[in-house]
Amino acid sequence: MTTYLHHTTFHFYCAGIYNGKIRFTEKGVLHAKVDPRRRTQMQEHVLDPQAKYALPLARIGEQLEAHARGEWTGEEVILEHGTVYQRHMEYTAADAAGVERTSQVWAMRGGTAVDVVTLDGEVVAFAAPNRYGLELIVKAGCERLTPLRVYEDPLLSKPEYGINDLGTFMVPMRDEVRLATDVYLPEGAPAGTRWPTILVRTCYDRNGRKELFQRWANKGYAVVNQDVRGRADSEGELVPFYYERDDGSDTIDWIIAQDWSNSKVGMWGASYLGYVVTAAATSGHPNLLAVVDEVNVGSPFTDTARKGGTLCSWPLLSWTLAQSVGTRTDFDIFGGVTVNPEAAVDARPIRDIPRQMIGKESGPWELWSQHPDYDDFWKNCTYSELGHQVKAPVYVISGWYDGDSPGVSETWRMLTEHDVPHRKIRLGAWEHNPNRARDLANVALGNDAVVYDYDVSVLRWFDRFLKDIPNGIDQEPRASYYVVGENRWRTSSDWTPAEAVVTPFYLGGDGRANSSLGDGRLAAEPEEFSPTDTYIYNPADPVADKGEREPENMRRHELRNDILVYTGVPLAEELTVAGELSAVLYAASTGKDTDWVVTLSDVHPNGDSIRLSNYIVRARYRYGLEHPQLLEPGKVERYDIFLQNIAHTFPVGHRIRVTVTSSSKFVAFPNTNTGNDPYADEKPLIVRQTIYHNREYPSHIKLPVLMNNR
């Protein structure tokens, strides 16, 4: 039996741009595309299975009947194939006959969100929110009854143009290395029109997502899409991080010399591409006028290659191996499909891991091994060293489950320290692939945790600073953030929120804090004569939590004797923490060097311990990266430890927990405790670790608490 949906022609929109017509038939999904240059309707063809759309059109076609048979009433709908939708929001608008009607948006729960819009109980649209722009199919005439309304702002650049692909240019850098660079211009304006430019520089092949970046050309921007050196079709050798500041600046020089450029340049980047734009911003180029920096990796000795001074394991290995098999990224390696993560991090010797895993050496891996300490090579890669040169307004976007949030924090500290004008930050309950889902592992978020205006806010940023459109984004509160548990968005004049009060919570106990079965305590005041806690750290038996920044349940790991566990009393009233976190640890080791891992968790009444934030640091850098100093065995040292930012409400009856240990194998290769070259693979030492917590040595965590929790 077929339904009206199988006889309906849907209009397809990507980032508010009409992208043709969609029909679902027994032959499959049919797509009548729009010619990208002339914006004319083309003939209907079977949807290309390689089409890179966020909207899962084939799956929607398979489930059309179930959606048509759904009873779209009440607060929750469960379809016959098990997908759950919750009543979310409404839109009211006049139809073609001038009759005012109201639609209902249903938020999908579980998995990657594909929301549904109904009108009088009938499905009229499917919508996929995502980073690059809302994708939506809608029954013709119902557009204004869907989330497409977010594109109606009269001050927002409209999709008035086609796309003129000028082709590929080999753009020379200052050392004559040429980088493959594509240019897309708006089509349909008078000859000689000059455009503001959005520059994207990628290590993942500029062809991979070019259709997504071309959408800015539809809206009146020149788009320049470039492979960084050593990747895809660019010349040179990939030396991660090292050349990005200069190459970004040189590319901007080339852009402003073109006859289609009006000399105003913005940059967008995410992940490594986010590092690229941040590094370019520190060049101080006067024509770089706007930066959008999403989920950016940080400087390599802080966040990536040498996270916290350690030798990063799987996050670094997966990326480096994927870049080292050729000039194009092998995403099966990156995703842990063709290289087993556990086998990779357990392989020895460390320097030889690439040969063991992919059958060849890795240039970056070998180069990094030649710089075991923070020297001029690493310093050149640390963008925050040149924060005083940042002049462009920077819009930072990330989330609580983004594994690269330490890089985001580094960027925000830099912008704040140098008071960069018009800086702005948006932090959601998002992963490294932001704005995707409302249910993540052990956490159920509110329906508004996924937003429809993600790409709109990015476009508004470029509109304001590249087109001088007075849209007010620079007048809005500096920080927007989503509070997990409270499950709502808040704003503040700053990040950490100006309303937050940094509040210490002190470690304590009776000397047996080993594991969650021990006597470790967390309190508002340090204990007078609290005895020390000790544990044995054996590098051959490291903690094997998942490593990624996700709300992992740490309950089973906290049964280990080499994890010290400090837990507060059940809360009598809810407590909201929002902002940048840190810890102060007083500790001693019998080794010459070691690592410290501090974790903050929310302990539920049933005993589940959900990780909120953590970080790892290497002891030898306790006085700063440029002043490494080995430990004097047994001597008490102070460690000031960064922790990843959060916005989280601890409910009544829950408990705050802090743990301390010395390893996390999927984050960093276990410290051998010898103090020698981390690549040397010497026989590791088993050491005794001692944590101090009394009035003389008050180990504690600093939490930014929102005192007015309403």
Side-chain angles (χ1 to χ4, degrees):
M1 173 182 173
T2 59
T3 69
Y4 81 96
L5 291 176
H6 274 116
H7 300 281
T8 299
T9 297
F10 290 92
H11 287 188
F12 187 17
Y13 292 86
C14 297
I17 304 164
Y18 177 66
N19 197 39
K21 299 176 181 179
I22 294 290
R23 283 198 309 125
F24 299 100
T25 73
E26 290 76 8
K27 296 179 181 179
V29 182
L30 300 182
H31 186 192
K33 298 181 71 173
V34 170
D35 178 85
R37 181 164 186 173
R38 298 172 180 83
R39 301 302 298 159
T40 54
Q41 185 69 61
M42 300 169 67
Q43 292 184 343
E44 188 176 71
H45 295 280
V46 174
L47 180 73
D48 181 356
Q50 301 302 315
K52 298 180 176 68
Y53 294 123
L55 198 64
L57 293 166
R59 193 177 81 215
I60 290 172
E62 295 168 358
Q63 298 178 352
L64 275 181
E65 301 297 329
H67 283 87
R69 289 192 289 267
E71 296 289 336
W72 298 97
T73 60
E75 296 300 314
E76 185 171 274
V77 176
I78 304 177
L79 300 187
E80 57 196 48
H81 55 265
T83 304
V84 177
Y85 294 90
Q86 291 180 351
R87 183 178 291 271
H88 182 27
M89 60 192 302
E90 296 179 344
Y91 291 100
T92 299
D95 62 14
V99 178
E100 191 171 85
R101 306 183 71 182
T102 299
S103 66
Q104 177 62 54
V105 181
W106 300 85
M108 178 180 152
R109 303 298 311 200
T112 300
V114 180
D115 296 346
V116 167
V117 182
T118 61
L119 183 62
D120 299 330
E122 293 185 349
V123 176
V124 297
F126 295 86
N130 69 96
R131 145 192 294 165
Y132 299 106
L134 175 70
E135 294 186 4
L136 182 143
I137 56 172
V138 56
K139 185 177 178 181
C142 295
E143 280 86 348
R144 298 200 70 247
L145 293 164
T146 74
L148 281 174
R149 291 273 287 274
V150 299
Y151 297 100
E152 290 186 357
D153 182 349
L155 295 178
L156 193 68
S157 287
K158 297 297 184 286
E160 300 172 331
Y161 305 96
I163 301 168
N164 181 9
D165 186 343
L166 296 190
T168 302
F169 301 82
M170 297 303 293
V171 176
M173 301 292 102
R174 63 190 65 182
D175 60 357
E176 302 304 320
V177 170
R178 300 182 306 161
L179 306 187
T181 307
D182 291 346
V183 178
Y184 322 120
L185 298 184
E187 174 76 7
T193 301
R194 292 176 176 265
W195 306 98
T197 302
I198 298 175
L199 168 62
V200 179
R201 306 186 61 249
T202 181
C203 61
Y204 299 120
D205 189 340
R206 71 195 187 286
N207 293 301
R209 290 197 166 109
K210 68 178 183 180
E211 294 85 2
L212 306 176
F213 304 140
Q214 286 173 347
R215 295 171 182 175
W216 286 316
N218 291 119
K219 297 175 181 179
Y221 290 92
V223 178
V224 175
N225 187 16
Q226 182 182 76
D227 293 323
V228 303
R229 68 170 60 206
R231 306 308 299 151
D233 298 315
S234 285
E235 297 175 349
E237 178 185 358
L238 174 68
V239 180
F241 310 104
Y242 194 81
Y243 292 103
E244 307 304 1
R245 179 186 304 109
D246 291 345
D247 286 355
S249 180
D250 292 353
T251 302
I252 295 172
D253 282 341
W254 180 82
I255 290 171
I256 63 177
Q258 306 309 303
D259 59 8
W260 43 259
S261 168
N262 73 354
S263 298
K264 294 183 177 182
V265 180
M267 292 188 73
W268 176 92
S271 194
Y272 184 82
L273 286 66
Y275 172 91
V276 166
V277 303
T278 307
T282 64
S283 74
H285 199 295
N287 294 85
L288 180 59
L289 303 181
V291 169
V292 175
D293 185 11
E294 300 185 19
V295 297
N296 70 285
V297 302
S299 298
F301 218 91
T302 301
D303 175 42
T304 47
R306 299 295 302 276
K307 187 182 292 286
T310 69
L311 178 54
C312 189
S313 57
W314 180 244
L316 175 67
L317 261 178
S318 61
W319 187 86
T320 308
L321 297 179
Q323 306 298 329
S324 299
V325 293
T327 60
R328 284 174 167 81
T329 305
D330 186 330
F331 287 98
D332 284 339
I333 293 177
F334 200 4
V337 176
T338 53
V339 171
N340 180 278
E342 185 142 11
V345 301
D346 286 344
R348 295 295 184 274
I350 288 175
R351 181 171 285 168
D352 194 47
I353 290 176
R355 184 175 295 279
Q356 295 181 50
M357 295 297 112
I358 62 173
K360 60 182 297 186
E361 289 185 355
S362 163
W365 195 257
E366 178 61 29
L367 177 63
W368 292 333
S369 73
Q370 296 168 14
H371 297 272
D373 272 319
Y374 189 76
D375 56 15
D376 287 343
F377 168 80
W378 295 111
K379 191 171 184 177
N380 181 72
C381 301
T382 303
Y383 57 74
S384 50
E385 294 275 359
L386 294 174
H388 60 282
Q389 298 191 168
V390 178
K391 301 297 185 290
V394 181
Y395 183 14
V396 177
I397 306 175
S398 181
W400 318 133
Y401 312 115
D402 170 21
D404 285 319
S405 64
V408 173
S409 292
E410 180 189 5
T411 299
W412 191 252
R413 285 195 303 272
M414 175 186 72
L415 299 176
T416 301
E417 178 184 351
H418 298 286
D419 196 23
V420 175
H422 301 304
R423 63 189 181 274
K424 186 178 181 65
I425 191 166
R426 190 179 195 183
L427 298 166
W430 296 333
E431 307 152 287
H432 194 59
N433 177 18
N435 201 39
R436 184 189 68 85
R438 300 177 173 99
D439 296 279
L440 301 170
N442 300 285
V443 177
L445 306 166
N447 289 331
D448 62 348
V450 171
V451 300
Y452 298 128
D453 71 341
Y454 189 100
D455 67 304
V456 171
S457 70
V458 170
L459 182 58
R460 291 179 68 219
W461 193 255
F462 288 133
D463 281 352
R464 171 64 186 86
F465 295 107
L466 297 183
K467 293 186 177 181
D468 298 317
I469 296 174
N471 56 27
I473 193 169
D474 53 325
Q475 304 300 316
E476 295 172 356
R478 176 167 286 162
S480 173
Y481 60 99
Y482 191 85
V483 182
V484 177
E486 187 178 71
N487 285 355
R488 71 179 178 98
W489 289 92
R490 290 183 181 232
T491 60
S492 178
S493 61
D494 208 349
W495 182 259
T496 293
E499 303 79 18
V501 176
V502 176
T503 306
F505 290 79
Y506 294 91
L507 279 55
D510 299 321
R512 295 181 300 278
N514 308 75
S515 87
S516 56
L517 304 178
D519 57 23
R521 297 186 288 267
L522 198 66
E525 298 290 339
E527 298 182 3
E528 185 71 34
F529 302 109
S530 180
T532 60
D533 288 304
T534 65
Y535 62 94
I536 300 299
Y537 164 45
N538 181 358
D541 184 25
V543 177
D545 57 325
K546 292 182 180 178
E548 288 297 327
R549 191 177 184 194
E550 61 181 67
E552 182 179 356
N553 189 346
M554 301 297 289
R555 186 172 185 171
R556 67 183 179 89
H557 299 294
E558 291 168 355
L559 294 174
R560 294 177 58 123
N561 277 337
D562 59 356
I563 297 182
L564 302 181
V565 180
Y566 302 91
T567 309
V569 299
L571 294 170
E573 56 184 29
E574 67 180 26
L575 179 75
T576 298
V577 175
E580 301 289 337
L581 314 183
S582 64
V584 174
L585 196 66
Y586 292 92
S589 174
T590 58
K592 294 182 179 179
D593 193 13
T594 197
D595 292 341
W596 304 108
V597 182
V598 177
T599 301
L600 172 71
S601 296
D602 179 344
V603 182
H604 294 214
N606 66 359
D608 288 343
S609 180
I610 308 304
R611 181 175 57 204
L612 303 178
S613 175
N614 69 337
Y615 213 58
I616 187 169
V617 295
R618 184 139 293 185
R620 69 188 302 152
Y621 300 113
R622 63 196 179 280
Y623 300 127
L625 297 179
E626 296 184 83
H627 305 285
Q629 184 173 322
L630 295 181
L631 297 173
E632 178 183 330
K635 181 181 178 182
V636 183
E637 299 277 6
R638 172 179 168 138
Y639 299 90
D640 291 277
I641 300 174
F642 157 87
L643 291 171
Q644 299 173 98
N645 57 15
I646 63 169
H648 180 83
T649 294
F650 292 85
V652 172
H654 286 223
R655 294 176 292 163
I656 303 171
R657 174 170 289 172
V658 173
T659 65
V660 179
T661 189
S662 292
S663 61
S664 179
K665 70 181 287 186
F666 291 109
V667 170
F669 289 101
N671 196 323
T672 62
N673 304 312
T674 63
N676 296 325
D677 182 347
Y679 288 89
D681 295 298
E682 296 185 355
K683 182 179 179 180
L685 297 177
I686 297 174
V687 295
R688 177 179 293 276
Q689 316 284 59
T690 303
I691 304 299
Y692 293 75
H693 41 71
N694 52 37
R695 290 200 178 275
E696 183 180 4
Y697 299 118
S699 294
H700 60 280
I701 190 169
K702 299 176 182 179
L703 302 182
V705 175
L706 294 183
M707 306 306 290
N708 181 7
N709 196 29
R710 300 299 176 200

